[in-house]
Amino acid sequence: MEWSDVRIFLAVAREGSLGAAARALGLSHPTVARRIAALEHAMDQVLFQRHKDGVLLSDAGARVVRLAEEMEASALAIHRRLAGEPGKPNGPLRISAADWFATYVLPPVIEALLDEHPGILPELVVSARRYDLSRREADIVFRVVPFEEPGVVQCRLPRIAYGLYAREGEPPPARGDGRGARLVLMDTSTHAYPEVEWLREMLPHARPVVVSNHRALQARLCQRGVGLAVLPRAVGDATDGLARIDLGEPPPSRHVWMGYHEDMRGMDRVRALADIALRMLDDTEGDPRS
């Protein structure tokens, strides 16, 4: 079995159809169908059962999946190791971060990176999705929760301060009550956000009116008077028309974590950005971990 065929086999198994696998791989539907047919012929096994909505793994295909995934892991490790070889900082660098961090915190870091290493081309992927570093979906990631994935080198960056904001001129709510106030909340369906629980404790009678996972959108809604919002101060303080509300204690702060795969330690582009981020986004409380 060749890796190129295994890659197509895994894509079909994961996507559930030849067409979806073709789109994911950037290949044509006939090419995927032909390669799967050739693989089945070479192995003298039926790997997929066809049905009207796509394909399902046969018993033989299910037995092959685990071995194919081991082959994939080895191929990805080779790719990461070669990409991580030291050299002159040059070429693309895929960076993942949440929308607000990329918009309000990273720009001076990216500017310094370009000034010091003009051969690097930053590719910023702004998303709440957690990208898989082992698959090189991103080279380096900034996020507000520690990395638990194996093989990730991580470092704790600064503690991010949060604040409660309202449109300028809006009367502040009463702590412990909040009657009549409306809330723009963070979406907690996939991740926990401690500031949401804090807000509900501070203003138990306030009414949630919007839920969103996008900080800049929350700031705009708050700016228009839709409701109160807890925002990173990097966002709220930089947004015209917002006033920070003091309820006697601030919302809980959070650290930002920077991570990259251990195989990328020697990649000069990753090291360049990591060094600049550590220099410019210094953890004032100390205790960096890696």
Side-chain angles (χ1 to χ4, degrees), residues 140-158:
I140 189 165
V141 173
F142 297 88
R143 70 190 202 190
V144 294
V145 293
F147 295 82
E148 298 178 353
E149 301 89 330
V152 174
V153 178
Q154 63 180 315
C155 182
R156 196 178 74 179
L157 293 175

mmCIF file of all heavy atoms in Angstrom, residues 140-158:
data_model
loop_
_atom_site.group_PDB
_atom_site.id
_atom_site.type_symbol
_atom_site.label_atom_id
_atom_site.label_comp_id
_atom_site.label_asym_id
_atom_site.label_seq_id
_atom_site.Cartn_x
_atom_site.Cartn_y
_atom_site.Cartn_z
ATOM 1 N N ILE A 140 1.515 27.278 14.697
ATOM 2 C CA ILE A 140 1.569 27.810 16.057
ATOM 3 C C ILE A 140 0.191 28.359 16.400
ATOM 4 O O ILE A 140 -0.475 28.955 15.547
ATOM 5 C CB ILE A 140 2.673 28.888 16.186
ATOM 6 C CG1 ILE A 140 2.886 29.292 17.640
ATOM 7 C CG2 ILE A 140 2.402 30.083 15.298
ATOM 8 C CD1 ILE A 140 4.190 30.064 17.859
ATOM 9 N N VAL A 141 -0.242 28.128 17.637
ATOM 10 C CA VAL A 141 -1.614 28.450 18.045
ATOM 11 C C VAL A 141 -1.585 29.286 19.325
ATOM 12 O O VAL A 141 -0.799 29.003 20.246
ATOM 13 C CB VAL A 141 -2.434 27.164 18.278
ATOM 14 C CG1 VAL A 141 -3.798 27.480 18.874
ATOM 15 C CG2 VAL A 141 -2.599 26.398 16.964
ATOM 16 N N PHE A 142 -2.452 30.295 19.390
ATOM 17 C CA PHE A 142 -2.690 31.080 20.601
ATOM 18 C C PHE A 142 -4.130 30.825 21.040
ATOM 19 O O PHE A 142 -5.062 30.980 20.243
ATOM 20 C CB PHE A 142 -2.486 32.574 20.336
ATOM 21 C CG PHE A 142 -1.091 32.946 19.936
ATOM 22 C CD1 PHE A 142 -0.696 32.910 18.606
ATOM 23 C CD2 PHE A 142 -0.154 33.334 20.891
ATOM 24 C CE1 PHE A 142 0.589 33.254 18.224
ATOM 25 C CE2 PHE A 142 1.132 33.682 20.516
ATOM 26 C CZ PHE A 142 1.506 33.642 19.184
ATOM 27 N N ARG A 143 -4.326 30.441 22.305
ATOM 28 C CA ARG A 143 -5.685 30.205 22.794
ATOM 29 C C ARG A 143 -5.739 30.419 24.304
ATOM 30 O O ARG A 143 -4.694 30.524 24.958
ATOM 31 C CB ARG A 143 -6.167 28.809 22.403
ATOM 32 C CG ARG A 143 -5.494 27.658 23.111
ATOM 33 C CD ARG A 143 -5.892 26.325 22.467
ATOM 34 N NE ARG A 143 -5.699 25.209 23.385
ATOM 35 C CZ ARG A 143 -5.789 23.931 23.029
ATOM 36 N NH1 ARG A 143 -6.084 23.614 21.769
ATOM 37 N NH2 ARG A 143 -5.616 22.975 23.917
ATOM 38 N N VAL A 144 -6.951 30.449 24.870
ATOM 39 C CA VAL A 144 -7.112 30.788 26.285
ATOM 40 C C VAL A 144 -7.242 29.571 27.184
ATOM 41 O O VAL A 144 -7.540 29.713 28.361
ATOM 42 C CB VAL A 144 -8.323 31.726 26.494
ATOM 43 C CG1 VAL A 144 -8.105 33.074 25.852
ATOM 44 C CG2 VAL A 144 -9.607 31.076 25.992
ATOM 45 N N VAL A 145 -7.022 28.386 26.660
ATOM 46 C CA VAL A 145 -7.014 27.176 27.484
ATOM 47 C C VAL A 145 -5.710 26.429 27.234
ATOM 48 O O VAL A 145 -5.183 26.441 26.120
ATOM 49 C CB VAL A 145 -8.219 26.259 27.186
ATOM 50 C CG1 VAL A 145 -9.510 26.918 27.617
ATOM 51 C CG2 VAL A 145 -8.276 25.885 25.717
ATOM 52 N N PRO A 146 -5.149 25.775 28.257
ATOM 53 C CA PRO A 146 -3.897 25.031 28.059
ATOM 54 C C PRO A 146 -4.085 23.896 27.047
ATOM 55 O O PRO A 146 -5.184 23.393 26.837
ATOM 56 C CB PRO A 146 -3.583 24.477 29.463
ATOM 57 C CG PRO A 146 -4.378 25.318 30.403
ATOM 58 C CD PRO A 146 -5.599 25.747 29.660
ATOM 59 N N PHE A 147 -2.992 23.488 26.452
ATOM 60 C CA PHE A 147 -3.002 22.377 25.503
ATOM 61 C C PHE A 147 -2.903 21.062 26.277
ATOM 62 O O PHE A 147 -2.040 20.913 27.151
ATOM 63 C CB PHE A 147 -1.823 22.494 24.536
ATOM 64 C CG PHE A 147 -1.893 23.689 23.635
ATOM 65 C CD1 PHE A 147 -1.466 24.940 24.079
ATOM 66 C CD2 PHE A 147 -2.391 23.583 22.347
ATOM 67 C CE1 PHE A 147 -1.527 26.054 23.252
ATOM 68 C CE2 PHE A 147 -2.446 24.693 21.511
ATOM 69 C CZ PHE A 147 -2.027 25.925 21.975
ATOM 70 N N GLU A 148 -3.767 20.128 25.950
ATOM 71 C CA GLU A 148 -3.722 18.803 26.564
ATOM 72 C C GLU A 148 -3.291 17.737 25.562
ATOM 73 O O GLU A 148 -3.074 16.586 25.939
ATOM 74 C CB GLU A 148 -5.097 18.450 27.135
ATOM 75 C CG GLU A 148 -5.554 19.395 28.243
ATOM 76 C CD GLU A 148 -6.932 19.056 28.773
ATOM 77 O OE1 GLU A 148 -7.577 18.162 28.176
ATOM 78 O OE2 GLU A 148 -7.351 19.665 29.779
ATOM 79 N N GLU A 149 -3.153 18.129 24.289
ATOM 80 C CA GLU A 149 -2.765 17.176 23.267
ATOM 81 C C GLU A 149 -1.313 16.741 23.483
ATOM 82 O O GLU A 149 -0.466 17.529 23.893
ATOM 83 C CB GLU A 149 -2.899 17.803 21.875
ATOM 84 C CG GLU A 149 -4.297 18.285 21.548
ATOM 85 C CD GLU A 149 -4.573 19.723 21.979
ATOM 86 O OE1 GLU A 149 -3.963 20.173 22.990
ATOM 87 O OE2 GLU A 149 -5.372 20.379 21.323
ATOM 88 N N PRO A 150 -0.995 15.465 23.205
ATOM 89 C CA PRO A 150 0.394 15.002 23.375
ATOM 90 C C PRO A 150 1.314 15.628 22.339
ATOM 91 O O PRO A 150 0.900 15.958 21.235
ATOM 92 C CB PRO A 150 0.275 13.480 23.158
ATOM 93 C CG PRO A 150 -0.956 13.300 22.316
ATOM 94 C CD PRO A 150 -1.894 14.389 22.747
ATOM 95 N N GLY A 151 2.564 15.824 22.745
ATOM 96 C CA GLY A 151 3.573 16.309 21.818
ATOM 97 C C GLY A 151 3.538 17.794 21.546
ATOM 98 O O GLY A 151 4.165 18.257 20.587
ATOM 99 N N VAL A 152 2.833 18.579 22.376
ATOM 100 C CA VAL A 152 2.736 20.021 22.163
ATOM 101 C C VAL A 152 3.623 20.753 23.163
ATOM 102 O O VAL A 152 3.547 20.512 24.367
ATOM 103 C CB VAL A 152 1.278 20.511 22.291
ATOM 104 C CG1 VAL A 152 1.218 22.043 22.215
ATOM 105 C CG2 VAL A 152 0.410 19.904 21.195
ATOM 106 N N VAL A 153 4.477 21.634 22.650
ATOM 107 C CA VAL A 153 5.253 22.539 23.488
ATOM 108 C C VAL A 153 4.397 23.780 23.724
ATOM 109 O O VAL A 153 3.899 24.380 22.773
ATOM 110 C CB VAL A 153 6.570 22.940 22.797
ATOM 111 C CG1 VAL A 153 7.349 23.918 23.663
ATOM 112 C CG2 VAL A 153 7.416 21.702 22.499
ATOM 113 N N GLN A 154 4.197 24.152 24.968
ATOM 114 C CA GLN A 154 3.336 25.296 25.253
ATOM 115 C C GLN A 154 3.979 26.225 26.259
ATOM 116 O O GLN A 154 4.835 25.829 27.045
ATOM 117 C CB GLN A 154 1.970 24.840 25.758
ATOM 118 C CG GLN A 154 1.982 24.074 27.071
ATOM 119 C CD GLN A 154 0.596 23.676 27.496
ATOM 120 O OE1 GLN A 154 -0.355 24.471 27.441
ATOM 121 N NE2 GLN A 154 0.433 22.421 27.914
ATOM 122 N N CYS A 155 3.530 27.468 26.212
ATOM 123 C CA CYS A 155 4.038 28.480 27.125
ATOM 124 C C CYS A 155 2.891 29.408 27.505
ATOM 125 O O CYS A 155 2.066 29.769 26.662
ATOM 126 C CB CYS A 155 5.159 29.278 26.474
ATOM 127 S SG CYS A 155 5.894 30.516 27.566
ATOM 128 N N ARG A 156 2.831 29.757 28.770
ATOM 129 C CA ARG A 156 1.784 30.662 29.259
ATOM 130 C C ARG A 156 2.200 32.101 29.024
ATOM 131 O O ARG A 156 3.262 32.539 29.459
ATOM 132 C CB ARG A 156 1.513 30.421 30.743
ATOM 133 C CG ARG A 156 0.211 31.043 31.203
ATOM 134 C CD ARG A 156 -0.042 30.743 32.659
ATOM 135 N NE ARG A 156 0.817 31.530 33.532
ATOM 136 C CZ ARG A 156 0.766 31.461 34.860
ATOM 137 N NH1 ARG A 156 -0.045 30.605 35.438
ATOM 138 N NH2 ARG A 156 1.566 32.213 35.592
ATOM 139 N N LEU A 157 1.334 32.835 28.356
ATOM 140 C CA LEU A 157 1.554 34.251 28.060
ATOM 141 C C LEU A 157 0.785 35.093 29.086
ATOM 142 O O LEU A 157 0.447 34.591 30.156
ATOM 143 C CB LEU A 157 1.129 34.524 26.617
ATOM 144 C CG LEU A 157 2.016 33.843 25.560
ATOM 145 C CD1 LEU A 157 1.448 34.058 24.165
ATOM 146 C CD2 LEU A 157 3.442 34.335 25.632
ATOM 147 N N PRO A 158 0.494 36.341 28.817
ATOM 148 C CA PRO A 158 -0.043 37.194 29.877
ATOM 149 C C PRO A 158 -1.440 36.820 30.325
ATOM 150 O O PRO A 158 -2.192 36.159 29.611
ATOM 151 C CB PRO A 158 -0.048 38.590 29.253
ATOM 152 C CG PRO A 158 0.130 38.425 27.815
ATOM 153 C CD PRO A 158 0.620 37.037 27.547
#
